[in-house]
Amino acid sequence: MIERRDVAKCIILSLVTCGIYGIFWFIKMTDDSNQVGTTQTASGGMAFLFTLITCGIYGWYWAYKLGQKIDEAKGTDGNSGILYVILNICGLGIVTYALAQSELNNFAQ
C-alpha cells in the first residue's frame, strides 16, 4: 500500500535534517513506484546503494525510470522521465522528489 506524504513536509524535513530524511524519502518513493508500475527496478535500499557506488550516476537512471513508471501507471505517454533526469542533472533533485511524490500521492488510498 502506498502512503500519502505531504510534499511540503518532506521538503522541510529533508532540509532540516541535512538530507537524512531525503534518503528515507528516496527509498520509500522508489518502493512505492515499484508498487504502482508494472516494471520492477531495484528496491529503494539497493537504488540508494547503487547511487552511492556510482557517485550519483545511477540517480539519473533512477530518475528516468521513476518518470517512466509513473507515466505507465497513469496510462499516459508522457515525458516525465526526461524531465526528472534534466532536473537531477541541474542539481534540482528535490524538485524531482516533489513532483514524483505528488504523482504518487494520486495512487495512495
Side-chain angles (χ1 to χ4, degrees), residues 39-83:
T39 57
Q40 297 293 310
T41 57
S43 68
M46 292 303 294
F48 178 68
L49 180 64
F50 294 154
T51 303
L52 284 178
I53 290 171
T54 62
C55 299
I57 295 171
Y58 183 83
W60 298 342
Y61 171 77
W62 168 85
Y64 180 73
K65 293 305 282 185
L66 177 67
Q68 277 189 331
K69 286 189 282 187
I70 289 174
D71 286 340
E72 176 185 298
K74 288 190 319 186
T76 63
D77 237 3
N79 293 323
S80 296
I82 295 169
L83 172 65

Side-chain angles (χ1 to χ4, degrees), residues 74-104:
K74 288 190 319 186
T76 63
D77 237 3
N79 293 323
S80 296
I82 295 169
L83 172 65
Y84 294 170
V85 169
I86 291 170
L87 288 170
N88 274 10
I89 290 172
C90 293
L92 298 171
I94 194 90
V95 177
T96 300
Y97 288 17
L99 292 173
Q101 185 63 58
S102 177
E103 291 294 336
L104 287 171

